[in-house]
Amino acid sequence: TVQGDAKLLYTAAQFALTVGKQEGAKSMTQALLQLQPNHGGAILHLGLIAHSENQKALALQYLRQASQLDQLSHDASALWNGLADMECGIQKSSDACLDAWRRSFEAEIELVPMKYNVATNALVNACKLLLERSNERNAKNIMEQVVTLGKKAVRLGLINAPLQLPKLLIRGVSFGAYRDDASTWKAIRHLEDNFQAIRDEVMEADAAGRLVRAAGVEKGGLHTAGEWRQLNINMQGRIVPQTLQLLPITSKIVLELEDGNSMVHGGSKISVMEPGTVVLPHTGLTNARVRIHLGISIPSGAFIRVGNETRTWTEGRCTAIDDSFVHEVWHTGTERRILLIVDIWHPEMDVLQREESISDPGLLKTYQEMSKDPWSVLRRQGIPRDLIPSRFISDAGYLNNKGT
């Protein structure tokens, strides 16, 4: 029968695609379309073949056509995942890009077995695009859409909480938007114990205008109003020499934190925010890090929301957050807000978990060298001997405090 022939051709073409026989798959798919011109799966196959041959315009044409036709469940996942990449490549902010990622997520979670990485990637991308559309008028509606998607993902075990949406999720470690349990961590105590020295040096540099001149304007597109500057102390395991010259005392205090020096998923910096600044809701890369905020100069009117809870900062006290949760900042006051931000490894992660979280070979090497012999690494980076700590502090359960 025609129906039987069509099913046989479809199955054979799909197998040919799986084993990389593109020409065979193409000829069988074209034969199938002679029998059933509106076969959604066949048109999808032509789109995937065209994409593999770098015929992007033709691939997009086929995939858009296939999206208007019925698909088998496993084909629907491949369709929307492929269409998302293409639509977003044309215009990341388009409705088509957002819709494709959202439908990719919905299609994948219907599959048995589900590909967790595909579903999570689609979820995170869809939520990120939603959050980028947030403004005063639609913020509540946007957050409701994100939470709805997040709750589905939590029920399926994809993420820990509806608003925890990192690209890289470390499983099996504790989580929470605010880490109030961190008040006893050695890193927190170290920064708070040295607050006065940090504050004196940073505020002197600020009063002289040197801090703002040295700090770069945030260029990630996260803030929609005002001015937000950041001065890196270290970033991805590399120390910034200019900051050491400007803030030697603060830099040395920060360098005493072993879990910060080797944190290649982030860094440490001074964050300077002017009144009127609004930072859009967004998420950090991974829950492998905990982000510590030490309040240096905190005027009234400066707020942060992480997850569903809004707080402000306190001068001389640390606020530890898991920035893989959706968070946002706004400053309606009249004076400059200044923080010291330090990223450290999640203290429950062991060496293997840390290394497995680092996909970039260069960053993995940086982490391994900094963890094994931080003194040698700091000397090679040109850090003056008097600024290299004699001992390092760590909250990681498997490490003892290092000392000379």
Side-chain angles (χ1 to χ4, degrees):
T1 65
V2 170
Q3 184 67 30
D5 289 345
K7 186 173 182 180
L8 182 61
L9 281 167
Y10 174 74
T11 302
Q14 193 168 47
F15 177 76
L17 269 178
T18 303
V19 298
K21 303 292 186 180
Q22 303 286 70
E23 287 304 316
K26 186 186 296 186
S27 62
M28 285 183 281
T29 299
Q30 289 168 343
L32 170 56
L33 288 171
Q34 292 294 318
L35 298 174
Q36 293 186 9
N38 289 321
H39 193 291
I43 294 170
L44 167 62
H45 285 172
L46 289 180
L48 296 176
I49 293 168
H51 186 264
S52 70
E53 295 173 345
N54 206 31
Q55 300 181 61
K56 294 183 179 179
L58 182 60
L60 182 58
Q61 177 185 326
Y62 280 133
L63 292 184
R64 283 176 172 171
Q65 184 182 351
S67 72
Q68 304 301 312
L69 301 170
D70 292 337
Q71 298 285 342
L72 296 174
S73 57
H74 60 274
D75 281 345
S77 175
L79 165 64
W80 290 110
N81 198 56
L83 196 53
D85 281 334
M86 290 186 174
E87 296 287 9
C88 298
I90 295 171
Q91 186 179 356
K92 190 177 177 183
S93 60
S94 69
D95 290 342
C97 173
L98 170 59
D99 182 60
W101 278 125
R102 197 195 311 245
R103 295 181 71 165
S104 174
F105 170 69
E106 298 287 359
E108 186 61 37
I109 63 176
E110 293 298 320
L111 295 182
V112 179
M114 172 181 59
K115 295 179 182 176
Y116 276 64
N117 60 328
V118 173
T120 303
N121 184 61
L123 166 75
V124 170
N125 283 321
C127 290
K128 182 176 185 292
L129 291 169
L130 278 168
L131 292 171
E132 288 174 356
R133 298 178 173 213
S134 182
N135 56 48
E136 286 186 18
R137 296 184 302 277
N138 68 10
K140 182 178 179 182
N141 177 264
I142 290 289
M143 199 59 69
E144 287 174 352
Q145 292 182 61
V146 171
V147 169
T148 297
L149 290 171
K151 284 181 176 179
K152 287 184 180 180
V154 170
R155 287 196 296 269
L156 293 165
L158 295 173
I159 55 177
N160 296 317
L163 291 177
Q164 188 186 28
L165 298 163
K167 281 279 189 184
L168 172 62
L169 178 67
I170 307 302
R171 299 185 179 277
V173 296
S174 60
F175 60 93
Y178 291 96
R179 296 305 304 254
D180 294 331
D181 58 322
S183 60
T184 59
W185 293 0
K186 295 171 186 175
I188 300 284
R189 296 203 306 267
H190 175 69
L191 293 174
E192 291 183 350
D193 288 348
N194 287 281
F195 165 69
Q196 198 59 53
I198 294 170
R199 186 183 191 283
D200 288 349
E201 183 177 60
V202 171
M203 295 308 293
E204 180 183 353
D206 183 51
R210 296 192 300 272
L211 185 63
V212 170
R213 285 198 300 272
V217 175
E218 192 278 324
K219 296 180 180 179
L222 291 176
H223 71 291
T224 58
E227 184 176 282
W228 179 22
R229 292 177 175 269
Q230 303 188 90
L231 177 64
N232 289 328
I233 297 172
N234 59 28
M235 177 55 63
Q236 296 184 318
R238 295 205 60 83
I239 315 304
V240 180
Q242 296 89 335
T243 307
L244 260 67
Q245 295 175 8
L246 179 65
L247 302 172
I249 296 171
T250 301
S251 296
K252 184 173 183 178
I253 292 167
V254 170
L255 289 179
E256 289 176 326
L257 298 174
E258 190 276 340
D259 299 332
N261 294 338
S262 64
M263 167 38 68
V264 293
H265 294 304
S268 302
K269 56 195 172 186
I270 304 295
S271 174
V272 181
M273 183 170 289
E274 301 296 342
T277 300
V278 176
V279 179
L280 289 170
H282 63 286
T283 63
L285 169 69
T286 178
N287 64 325
R289 71 187 185 197
V290 175
R291 176 157 284 189
I292 301 171
H293 291 181
L294 174 65
I296 295 177
S297 179
I298 309 300
S300 61
F303 297 97
I304 180 171
R305 179 184 292 128
V306 186
N308 294 315
E309 185 177 354
T310 301
R311 298 185 183 181
T312 188
W313 300 268
T314 301
E315 291 181 7
R317 300 297 301 274
C318 289
T319 300
I321 69 170
D322 180 342
D323 76 328
S324 69
F325 280 76
V326 176
H327 58 287
E328 58 188 304
V329 175
W330 62 97
H331 185 4
T332 60
T334 58
E335 300 176 40
R336 183 176 292 159
R337 186 228 64 181
I338 304 176
L339 299 173
L340 168 62
I341 298 177
V342 179
D343 293 331
I344 64 170
W345 286 99
H346 192 300
E348 294 169 19
M349 291 177 67
D350 59 25
V351 173
L352 181 60
Q353 286 175 304
R354 289 184 179 190
E355 292 186 348
E356 288 180 342
S357 77
I358 307 168
S359 58
D360 182 277
L363 293 181
L364 178 59
K365 181 180 179 183
T366 297
Y367 165 73
Q368 291 171 333
E369 290 178 347
M370 185 67 83
S371 297
K372 182 179 180 181
D373 187 357
W375 297 280
S376 295
V377 174
L378 293 176
R379 284 195 293 269
R380 287 201 302 271
Q381 290 189 22
I383 309 304
R385 183 173 294 275
D386 62 325
L387 294 184
I388 296 177
S390 60
R391 64 189 296 273
F392 295 91
I393 297 166
S394 173
D395 282 289
Y398 65 92
L399 289 175
N400 294 318
N401 286 354
K402 292 187 174 81
T404 54

